[in-house]
Amino acid sequence: MRLRTALAIIGLAVASLAAAPAHAERLIVSVSNHRVTVTPNYSGGELVLFGSVEKDDKTPSNRTNYDLVVTVSGPRADMVTRRKERKFGIWINTDSRQFLQVPGYLALFSNRPFDQIASPEVQRRQQLGLNNVLLMQRVGPDYADVVPNDPFRSAFVRLRSEHGLYREATSAVTFLTPTLFRTGIPLPAEVPIGTYNVEIKLFSDGALVTKAETAFEIVKVGFEQFVATTARQNGFVYGLITAFMALMTGWMASIVFRKD
């Protein structure tokens, strides 16, 4: 009985593989640096993503024009957007919306406008453009994304964009030849620390042809990283050192400012 079940499972797996459409093209991609170090005086930088479209004998002979969309997403975290109103002469928080596990950095680049690459339905399904990226939120007792013009969603994207952490550029991908391409990935000074996923999608005639992924990491180095690592791995020792430094600072201040 077990053997029959195992053979049935294997048969289904082989059938599904046979039914899956074979890609006529594949993407070969890489970034200029897979590990970016951030020091205390880091003021921003840029990586370069480059790659090529490789065809095979299954590629239709009339397929010559391609479109490319690159999505870069940074480490995810819960974030809150608050609405402030002026009451009795002061600004106070009156409402808020929690965004759940959203990217700390999000960038979408393409070689031409998204509405020229694919239909609105394909754009929504493939999350092309900031308006189509899913940003899960806690809305009362429910969890869902909302319409792009929702005030909280719009404010969240606008605030992140003002700091260079959310962006889209529809002319950032350059085809150097019909199959070779490149694009820059700007990294602002406030870039979050962590792992960044890069997804590259290839389109032709409004349809997704294939996609590829790569990644890079942003790490903090120097004294700040030493302090953060010590606090995380040796909390008791970090607490003792912090208390000692506070005592020494108070003692030195009492000497400098004491009155004779």
Side-chain angles (χ1 to χ4, degrees), residues 36-49:
V36 179
T37 56
V38 175
T39 58
N41 59 350
Y42 178 78
S43 59
E46 183 178 82
L47 293 181
V48 176
L49 172 77

PDB file of all heavy atoms in Angstrom, residues 36-49:
ATOM      1  N   VAL A  36      27.422  45.527   1.448  1.00  0.00           N
ATOM      2  CA  VAL A  36      27.674  46.961   1.599  1.00  0.00           C
ATOM      3  C   VAL A  36      27.899  47.257   3.071  1.00  0.00           C
ATOM      4  O   VAL A  36      27.083  46.901   3.924  1.00  0.00           O
ATOM      5  CB  VAL A  36      26.488  47.789   1.070  1.00  0.00           C
ATOM      6  CG1 VAL A  36      26.751  49.284   1.242  1.00  0.00           C
ATOM      7  CG2 VAL A  36      26.213  47.450  -0.386  1.00  0.00           C
ATOM      8  N   THR A  37      29.017  47.902   3.389  1.00  0.00           N
ATOM      9  CA  THR A  37      29.331  48.249   4.779  1.00  0.00           C
ATOM     10  C   THR A  37      28.969  49.702   5.038  1.00  0.00           C
ATOM     11  O   THR A  37      29.233  50.588   4.221  1.00  0.00           O
ATOM     12  CB  THR A  37      30.825  48.026   5.072  1.00  0.00           C
ATOM     13  OG1 THR A  37      31.623  48.780   4.147  1.00  0.00           O
ATOM     14  CG2 THR A  37      31.181  46.547   4.945  1.00  0.00           C
ATOM     15  N   VAL A  38      28.337  49.927   6.170  1.00  0.00           N
ATOM     16  CA  VAL A  38      27.883  51.262   6.564  1.00  0.00           C
ATOM     17  C   VAL A  38      28.671  51.692   7.792  1.00  0.00           C
ATOM     18  O   VAL A  38      28.668  51.002   8.815  1.00  0.00           O
ATOM     19  CB  VAL A  38      26.372  51.266   6.864  1.00  0.00           C
ATOM     20  CG1 VAL A  38      25.934  52.622   7.391  1.00  0.00           C
ATOM     21  CG2 VAL A  38      25.589  50.896   5.613  1.00  0.00           C
ATOM     22  N   THR A  39      29.343  52.820   7.689  1.00  0.00           N
ATOM     23  CA  THR A  39      30.106  53.389   8.787  1.00  0.00           C
ATOM     24  C   THR A  39      29.333  54.560   9.393  1.00  0.00           C
ATOM     25  O   THR A  39      28.343  55.023   8.816  1.00  0.00           O
ATOM     26  CB  THR A  39      31.481  53.863   8.287  1.00  0.00           C
ATOM     27  OG1 THR A  39      31.288  54.832   7.242  1.00  0.00           O
ATOM     28  CG2 THR A  39      32.296  52.696   7.720  1.00  0.00           C
ATOM     29  N   PRO A  40      29.777  55.078  10.544  1.00  0.00           N
ATOM     30  CA  PRO A  40      29.053  56.213  11.157  1.00  0.00           C
ATOM     31  C   PRO A  40      28.924  57.437  10.262  1.00  0.00           C
ATOM     32  O   PRO A  40      27.966  58.195  10.392  1.00  0.00           O
ATOM     33  CB  PRO A  40      29.900  56.513  12.404  1.00  0.00           C
ATOM     34  CG  PRO A  40      30.524  55.206  12.755  1.00  0.00           C
ATOM     35  CD  PRO A  40      30.815  54.541  11.448  1.00  0.00           C
ATOM     36  N   ASN A  41      29.866  57.633   9.333  1.00  0.00           N
ATOM     37  CA  ASN A  41      29.790  58.804   8.442  1.00  0.00           C
ATOM     38  C   ASN A  41      29.267  58.442   7.048  1.00  0.00           C
ATOM     39  O   ASN A  41      29.499  59.165   6.084  1.00  0.00           O
ATOM     40  CB  ASN A  41      31.169  59.453   8.317  1.00  0.00           C
ATOM     41  CG  ASN A  41      32.222  58.490   7.774  1.00  0.00           C
ATOM     42  OD1 ASN A  41      31.973  57.295   7.661  1.00  0.00           O
ATOM     43  ND2 ASN A  41      33.395  59.003   7.441  1.00  0.00           N
ATOM     44  N   TYR A  42      28.538  57.334   6.953  1.00  0.00           N
ATOM     45  CA  TYR A  42      27.987  56.919   5.661  1.00  0.00           C
ATOM     46  C   TYR A  42      26.952  57.944   5.185  1.00  0.00           C
ATOM     47  O   TYR A  42      26.045  58.327   5.921  1.00  0.00           O
ATOM     48  CB  TYR A  42      27.329  55.542   5.802  1.00  0.00           C
ATOM     49  CG  TYR A  42      26.694  55.028   4.543  1.00  0.00           C
ATOM     50  CD1 TYR A  42      27.460  54.484   3.523  1.00  0.00           C
ATOM     51  CD2 TYR A  42      25.309  55.071   4.374  1.00  0.00           C
ATOM     52  CE1 TYR A  42      26.871  53.995   2.365  1.00  0.00           C
ATOM     53  CE2 TYR A  42      24.711  54.576   3.226  1.00  0.00           C
ATOM     54  CZ  TYR A  42      25.497  54.046   2.229  1.00  0.00           C
ATOM     55  OH  TYR A  42      24.912  53.557   1.090  1.00  0.00           O
ATOM     56  N   SER A  43      27.081  58.388   3.942  1.00  0.00           N
ATOM     57  CA  SER A  43      26.184  59.418   3.393  1.00  0.00           C
ATOM     58  C   SER A  43      25.394  58.925   2.192  1.00  0.00           C
ATOM     59  O   SER A  43      24.771  59.727   1.491  1.00  0.00           O
ATOM     60  CB  SER A  43      27.004  60.654   2.995  1.00  0.00           C
ATOM     61  OG  SER A  43      27.992  60.310   2.030  1.00  0.00           O
ATOM     62  N   GLY A  44      25.396  57.618   1.960  1.00  0.00           N
ATOM     63  CA  GLY A  44      24.657  57.070   0.834  1.00  0.00           C
ATOM     64  C   GLY A  44      25.573  56.514  -0.235  1.00  0.00           C
ATOM     65  O   GLY A  44      26.785  56.745  -0.220  1.00  0.00           O
ATOM     66  N   GLY A  45      25.002  55.789  -1.156  1.00  0.00           N
ATOM     67  CA  GLY A  45      25.781  55.198  -2.239  1.00  0.00           C
ATOM     68  C   GLY A  45      24.867  54.598  -3.285  1.00  0.00           C
ATOM     69  O   GLY A  45      23.656  54.843  -3.291  1.00  0.00           O
ATOM     70  N   GLU A  46      25.427  53.809  -4.160  1.00  0.00           N
ATOM     71  CA  GLU A  46      24.644  53.195  -5.224  1.00  0.00           C
ATOM     72  C   GLU A  46      25.281  51.884  -5.642  1.00  0.00           C
ATOM     73  O   GLU A  46      26.505  51.770  -5.769  1.00  0.00           O
ATOM     74  CB  GLU A  46      24.537  54.123  -6.434  1.00  0.00           C
ATOM     75  CG  GLU A  46      23.676  53.561  -7.555  1.00  0.00           C
ATOM     76  CD  GLU A  46      23.543  54.512  -8.740  1.00  0.00           C
ATOM     77  OE1 GLU A  46      24.473  54.535  -9.569  1.00  0.00           O
ATOM     78  OE2 GLU A  46      22.519  55.210  -8.821  1.00  0.00           O
ATOM     79  N   LEU A  47      24.442  50.875  -5.824  1.00  0.00           N
ATOM     80  CA  LEU A  47      24.866  49.610  -6.416  1.00  0.00           C
ATOM     81  C   LEU A  47      24.437  49.578  -7.874  1.00  0.00           C
ATOM     82  O   LEU A  47      23.549  50.328  -8.289  1.00  0.00           O
ATOM     83  CB  LEU A  47      24.242  48.426  -5.673  1.00  0.00           C
ATOM     84  CG  LEU A  47      24.677  48.177  -4.227  1.00  0.00           C
ATOM     85  CD1 LEU A  47      23.977  46.947  -3.677  1.00  0.00           C
ATOM     86  CD2 LEU A  47      26.176  48.007  -4.133  1.00  0.00           C
ATOM     87  N   VAL A  48      25.059  48.701  -8.629  1.00  0.00           N
ATOM     88  CA  VAL A  48      24.693  48.524 -10.032  1.00  0.00           C
ATOM     89  C   VAL A  48      24.242  47.084 -10.228  1.00  0.00           C
ATOM     90  O   VAL A  48      24.947  46.141  -9.862  1.00  0.00           O
ATOM     91  CB  VAL A  48      25.879  48.839 -10.967  1.00  0.00           C
ATOM     92  CG1 VAL A  48      25.493  48.547 -12.417  1.00  0.00           C
ATOM     93  CG2 VAL A  48      26.292  50.297 -10.819  1.00  0.00           C
ATOM     94  N   LEU A  49      23.046  46.930 -10.768  1.00  0.00           N
ATOM     95  CA  LEU A  49      22.531  45.621 -11.163  1.00  0.00           C
ATOM     96  C   LEU A  49      22.729  45.487 -12.665  1.00  0.00           C
ATOM     97  O   LEU A  49      22.369  46.383 -13.424  1.00  0.00           O
ATOM     98  CB  LEU A  49      21.055  45.493 -10.815  1.00  0.00           C
ATOM     99  CG  LEU A  49      20.352  44.244 -11.348  1.00  0.00           C
ATOM    100  CD1 LEU A  49      20.706  43.033 -10.512  1.00  0.00           C
ATOM    101  CD2 LEU A  49      18.843  44.438 -11.377  1.00  0.00           C
TER     102      LEU A  49
END
